[in-house]
Amino acid sequence: MFHKVVVPVDLAHEAALQKALQVAATMAQTHAAEVCYVGVGSASPSALARSPAEYKAKLESFAQSQAAQYAIKASAHAIMSHDPATDLNKALEAAIADLQADLVVMATHVPNISDYIWAGHGAHVAAHSTASVLLVRD
């Protein structure tokens, strides 16, 4: 049913992703699908990585650790941006299309008042993607 599962990840908030990571792995196991962990990082030095190459290496290491932990086929897709907060939605849209994903599994927050003014990233991806989108609340 699913062949490519995309999981957007923020390596700075890995602890908050655990439930979504487990759901994505279970979906991959069930459907013999590949999981691609997509991260949007800053082209500028940050607390997470000093360079785009270091960010890409960390994301790749993360993907391989998930592959080993859950016995799944996994890859990483790093996107570098000068302003990840602004570019995130469009970058995810492009990655989902480029990777030909048919399922996106995203961690999400419990809706609050600001969601009536600004749509969350998950809502944006669901509204603008041809892939199925599964939003997982922690």
Side-chain angles (χ1 to χ4, degrees):
M1 179 177 229
F2 297 113
H3 303 287
K4 176 77 70 108
V5 180
V6 163
V7 182
V9 295
D10 181 347
L11 295 177
H13 300 286
E14 188 178 333
L17 302 174
Q18 294 309 306
K19 189 172 180 183
L21 295 173
Q22 186 175 10
V23 168
T26 300
M27 295 298 285
Q29 292 165 341
T30 302
H31 299 282
E34 176 188 353
V35 177
C36 183
Y37 299 95
V38 175
V40 180
S42 175
S44 303
S46 68
L48 186 61
R50 293 182 302 270
S51 69
E54 183 180 356
Y55 179 80
K56 289 176 184 178
K58 285 186 175 187
L59 186 61
E60 183 61 39
S61 176
F62 174 81
Q64 293 314 309
S65 72
Q66 292 294 299
Q69 179 178 350
Y70 292 108
I72 58 173
K73 182 178 177 189
S75 61
H77 182 77
I79 302 165
M80 304 317 298
S81 169
H82 292 290
D83 189 356
T86 301
D87 298 338
L88 184 66
N89 290 340
K90 293 292 183 188
L92 289 177
E93 280 180 54
I96 292 163
D98 292 347
L99 295 166
Q100 299 179 337
D102 46 10
L103 176 64
V104 180
V105 177
M106 293 181 73
T108 190
H109 64 280
V110 175
N112 58 42
I113 192 70
S114 68
D115 291 303
Y116 291 104
I117 301 166
W118 299 285
H121 299 300
H124 180 90
V125 169
H128 295 90
S129 177
T130 58
S132 297
V133 179
L134 176 57
L135 302 176
V136 180
R137 290 199 179 126
D138 196 26

